[in-house]
Amino acid sequence: FFFFFFFFKQKTAYEISACLVGSEMCIRDRYCKFLEQLPQDSTPEVFGLHTNAQIISNTSKAKELWVDVVKMQSSSIVEVKGMNKDEKVEQVAKDILSKLKPLFEIEKIRDKLGVVISPTQAVLMQELERFNILTEHIKLSLSDLIKALKGDIAMSSDLDELSAFLYNGFLPRLWRELCPQTEKSLARWIQHYTMREDQYAGWAEKGEPAAMWLSGLHVPESFLSAHVQIACRSKGWALDKSTKITEITQLVKPSDVSEMPDTGCYITGLYMEGAKWDINQQCLVLQDPKELLFEMPLIKVIPIEANKVKLRNKLVTPVYVTQGRRNPRGDGLVFESQLTTREHPSHWILQGVCLVLNID
């Protein structure tokens, strides 16, 4: 006999055996006997995965079950404080409205920037326009919902749906269509929304941040492309033959940045799934048990000519908007980051290593 061994766990050896001499029945009996000895439930390590894969799978199933249970709850449920559904929804709507600030005065900001603006300033103007549209829609929909709850206007199907989403703590569908892809609950999304607003305000008032919080942009890839365009103009490169690479720094906070790079930029707010980054060794290492996400240090985005890119000992890692990675339409990929590895890239591909901008 010879054995093909591929994994061993206490009390169980996962191996494939074959009979070199003998009948087909001999081989069949040995295979059946061997398979009957294997445990019914195999751990992730058997398939080359980290033990955290089981935690992620169970957590995902629990979240899906919880969401379905919440959606099924009766609208006539009375809250602990004695508030019915309409009173609860009205309170949530007023609370959100109180956190909204006035729209950005885009014309004044454009005048302040001058006649000729840089590619990154053009991105800022586009981001502010999208953010204003979202803010205006939130204010209008919540104001109409409050009026409908009071009986001043008719309750339309859209307002009824909005009421159900607010009551259950989910991000309303009509808002989701106007904002970046997200899997956050309503409360966490509002917090994310206010952080985005603060970054836009600082950008418009003081200029581009030392380290851009990429998660706070509606179209983050446009900001990165703008920096490639700036580098092409200053160095005389052909835009269609230029790209960008990434370098993981040892800087942890945006305040650690002493000066902006001549070309490129620093970005922050990224998380790693499937592995973790060793800041001292500057390479990928295995996750710690029960540590499902690792917050990355600041990443430097460097524009470069495409024919000068070197990928030796690098893992080309996709950067997604959310932990859901791609949606059914295939959207969700922002760009690709190059991470140093001492293992073969296939090892990390099997682990499902990626970077994400927004965690739920």
Side-chain angles (χ1 to χ4, degrees):
F1 297 91
F2 70 89
F3 299 92
F4 177 66
F5 171 81
F6 62 95
F7 183 75
F8 176 80
K9 191 175 182 180
Q10 187 177 8
K11 298 182 180 180
T12 305
Y14 291 81
E15 57 192 9
I16 299 176
S17 63
C19 183
L20 292 177
V21 181
S23 65
E24 294 183 1
M25 183 60 68
C26 172
I27 299 175
R28 177 184 176 280
D29 290 344
R30 288 182 179 275
Y31 271 120
C32 290
K33 184 178 179 181
F34 172 75
L35 293 175
E36 289 174 355
Q37 294 174 351
L38 294 178
Q40 291 184 347
D41 296 325
S42 299
T43 60
E45 300 100 319
V46 177
F47 306 99
L49 303 176
H50 195 278
T51 53
N52 288 345
Q54 187 71 48
I55 301 175
I56 295 173
S57 176
N58 293 340
T59 302
S60 177
K61 292 177 182 178
K63 286 181 179 178
E64 291 177 1
L65 177 62
W66 175 251
V67 169
D68 291 339
V69 170
V70 171
K71 289 180 179 179
M72 292 170 59
Q73 69 179 342
S74 172
S75 61
S76 61
I77 294 178
V78 178
E79 298 291 332
V80 176
K81 295 182 180 180
M83 300 172 62
N84 58 34
K85 177 186 175 182
D86 289 350
E87 293 171 337
K88 175 66 175 179
V89 169
E90 183 177 354
Q91 183 188 57
V92 173
K94 289 181 177 179
D95 182 58
I96 295 175
L97 282 174
S98 66
K99 296 179 181 179
L100 301 181
K101 298 179 182 178
L103 300 179
F104 286 103
E105 298 179 340
I106 296 180
E107 292 301 327
K108 288 186 177 181
I109 297 174
R110 184 179 285 111
D111 292 340
K112 179 182 176 181
L113 296 176
V115 179
V116 180
I117 61 176
S118 67
T120 53
Q121 290 173 336
V123 171
L124 170 61
M125 302 310 300
Q126 294 168 0
E127 290 284 327
L128 293 181
E129 289 175 359
R130 294 188 181 97
F131 194 79
N132 275 356
I133 292 173
L134 173 62
T135 302
E136 191 171 15
H137 180 77
I138 293 175
K139 289 181 177 180
L140 180 61
S141 60
L142 290 179
S143 298
D144 287 346
L145 177 60
I146 293 174
K147 292 177 182 178
L149 293 174
K150 294 180 178 179
D152 296 337
I153 62 174
M155 178 71 76
S156 65
S157 58
D158 286 341
L159 292 178
D160 187 53
E161 181 187 63
L162 174 61
S163 174
F165 275 101
L166 295 183
Y167 181 71
N168 292 325
F170 300 145
L171 180 62
R173 176 183 57 83
L174 296 177
W175 299 3
R176 188 183 295 273
E177 294 174 355
L178 298 174
C179 71
Q181 186 180 344
T182 182
E183 295 180 346
K184 296 181 182 292
S185 64
L186 179 60
R188 291 187 178 274
W189 184 85
I190 292 296
Q191 182 182 11
H192 183 264
Y193 169 90
T194 55
M195 292 172 63
R196 289 181 62 202
E197 188 174 43
D198 292 341
Q199 176 168 261
Y200 287 142
W203 189 359
E205 181 67 26
K206 303 176 183 178
E208 183 180 329
M212 180 63 69
W213 179 48
L214 207 61
S215 312
L217 300 182
H218 193 105
V219 188
E221 52 266 39
S222 64
F223 174 77
L224 301 177
S225 298
H227 272 283
V228 175
Q229 187 177 354
I230 292 173
C232 290
R233 289 180 180 179
S234 63
K235 298 181 180 293
W237 298 342
L239 183 60
D240 60 340
K241 295 182 180 179
S242 302
T243 184
K244 55 187 173 294
I245 60 173
T246 58
E247 177 184 302
I248 313 301
T249 71
Q250 293 185 321
L251 307 176
V252 179
K253 304 184 298 295
S255 58
D256 295 336
V257 179
S258 57
E259 60 179 352
M260 300 279 286
D262 295 333
T263 58
C265 61
Y266 291 103
I267 57 176
T268 183
L270 280 74
Y271 295 83
M272 180 180 288
E273 279 190 326
K276 81 173 194 177
W277 183 260
D278 191 309
I279 297 181
N280 297 322
Q281 299 184 46
Q282 286 289 289
C283 68
L284 288 167
V285 294
L286 287 175
Q287 287 178 309
D288 294 329
K290 300 182 181 180
E291 184 180 347
L292 308 183
L293 288 168
F294 178 81
E295 187 173 1
M296 295 293 290
L298 269 60
I299 299 177
K300 185 179 181 180
V301 179
I302 306 170
I304 189 174
E305 291 180 288
N307 60 357
K308 295 183 179 179
V309 176
K310 297 180 180 180
L311 297 177
R312 186 176 182 179
N313 297 326
K314 298 288 184 179
L315 174 69
V316 179
T317 309
V319 180
Y320 298 105
V321 179
T322 69
Q323 290 178 266
R325 306 199 177 189
R326 293 182 185 268
N327 62 19
R329 295 181 299 178
D331 302 328
L333 179 67
V334 181
F335 69 103
E336 292 179 333
S337 177
Q338 297 76 30
L339 304 179
T340 302
T341 173
R342 296 180 180 177
E343 304 284 347
H344 192 275
S346 61
H347 171 77
W348 301 114
I349 293 173
L350 186 60
Q351 300 292 320
V353 175
C354 74
L355 297 175
V356 294
L357 301 183
N358 290 314
I359 57 176
D360 57 3

